[in-house]
Amino acid sequence: MNVLIAGGGVAALEAMVALRSLAGDRVDVGLLAPDSDFFYRPLSVAEPFGAGQAHRFDLRSLAQGCGAWHALGSLVAVDGGRRSVRTSQGATFGYDVLLLAVGARPREAIPGALTFRGQLDVPALRALLRDLDEGLVQRVVFALPGGVTWPLPLYELALLTADHLARTGNTLAELAVVTPEEAPLGILDGEASEAVADELDRRGIELATGAYPASFEGGELRLVPGTSIPADRVVSLPRLRGVPIAGVPQDGDFFVPTDATGLVSGLADVYAAGDITTFSIKQGGLAAQQADAVAEAIAARAGAPVTPRPFDPVLRGLLLTGSLPLYVRAELSGGRGESSTVASDALWWPPGKIAARHLAPYLARYAGLAYSPAAVS
Ligand SMILES: Cc1cc2nc3c(=O)[nH]c(=O)nc-3n(C[C@H](O)[C@H](O)[C@H](O)COP(=O)(O)OP(=O)(O)OC[C@H]3O[C@@H](n4cnc5c(N)ncnc54)[C@H](O)[C@@H]3O)c2cc1C
């Protein structure tokens, strides 16, 4: 079976490794992606603070190590009848089964704020830290826009900035978090959310919940409805939008609807996984779990002795705090975590930032990414 995977991120690579493990040589697997590298994005939050480095892996080597191939190209159209895809450069690739794992695009949500999208924004955050060090900036607000479903990186940036201030003996600067959530990391009800609130409190970070930040101008972060709070700088996260693909059903934001096995509505041989799907929480561990459900479904179709299991989301997050990292875990029900657990010892293995059953051990073993909480706290 010729399996074409569009994408070279978490969901694509998890599916690639899972397929090789589940279906062996019943499948020929290829990756079609516009970049020659895979960026391990979650560690980019640690980089401005010198507490870790975002890793970059050569996609071709990752594919080859798994008996797959990699071609450069951006998928723009799918012809479900002919079972072929077209790239922006006009090349075509055939498939028996196609997996769309093209991720989502970050968009600025709070005009005037520093929108942290990952690697690209590390220099801007470093510059902000320098301004804090030199006393040019005193009050930084970390603002979560409405509609961002995985806020953990914003809490990490706030806590790591507080740790930076403590290390540099800066007692004048003030930090605040403003969020529409009812409680910090409110998607994880219970223990985990309380642990994050405690961390913020312990670091002296002000917290305003139930507030929608809208824009930042003239030293004021405007909130909806009506009020505003003072800030010298505002740091935010992006809102996400899907990628337009001709021939594929998509919602108004270009996200792709699937069933619980990842099959795209109305297309018999096309699956989707990760941030590109309409599943509301855009998170790497969940992208990997979606990819696992797809890989099992495809492996079974290819004749492998596998009983496919539907996507049954469990949130696993590793919060960098500046001291001991916190591992948080919650079963998901209706989009919110129920009875979350928090621990300072690993709740999964290998204890990576992205909990991915097949990809995490593959990166650790093949590419030498052994995450050490001591190295990145
Ligand atoms: C700052 C930050 C910190 C984060 N921290 C965490 C964390 O701690 N834990 C966690 O689990 N998640 C975290 N996330 C979220 C996580 O990075 C994403 O949810 C995850 O990467 C989604 O995986 P994906 O495969 O769907 O998309 P991506 O990983 O974004 O991969 C998409 C891939 O598709 C390729 N592509 C794009 N367009 C096309 C096209 N037209 N044709 C072919 N290929 C295409 C891209 O080049 C890329 O290779 C964080 C995100 C950010 C921004």
Side-chain angles (χ1 to χ4, degrees), residues 7-11 32 34-35 41-42 75 102-103 105 153 274-275 283-285 353:
V10 176
L32 173 67
D35 308 311
R41 200 181 294 145
L75 175 144
V102 297
R105 302 275 179 279
D275 285 1
Q283 195 247 8
K353 283 284 281 163

Side-chain angles (χ1 to χ4, degrees), residues 195-219:
V196 179
D198 288 348
E199 278 295 324
L200 295 174
D201 189 48
R202 195 170 67 80
R203 297 279 189 180
I205 301 173
E206 279 171 48
L207 174 64
T209 55
Y212 285 81
S215 61
F216 172 53
E217 201 182 351

Side-chain angles (χ1 to χ4, degrees), residues 6-12 32-35 41-42 44-45 73-75 101-103 105 116-118 150 152-153 243 273-276 282-285 287 318 353-354:
V10 176
L32 173 67
D35 308 311
R41 200 181 294 145
S44 59
V45 294
S74 280
L75 175 144
V102 297
R105 302 275 179 279
F116 191 83
R117 296 160 294 177
W150 184 237
L152 182 128
V243 181
D275 285 1
I276 185 62
K282 311 294 182 193
Q283 195 247 8
L318 172 49
K353 283 284 281 163
I354 296 182

Side-chain angles (χ1 to χ4, degrees), residues 90-125:
T92 56
F93 292 81
Y95 64 82
D96 295 323
V97 172
L98 171 67
L99 169 58
L100 301 171
V102 297
R105 302 275 179 279
R107 286 184 303 153
E108 180 186 77
I110 302 179
L114 189 177
T115 304
F116 191 83
R117 296 160 294 177
Q119 204 67 32
L120 276 178
D121 300 302
V122 167
L125 205 73

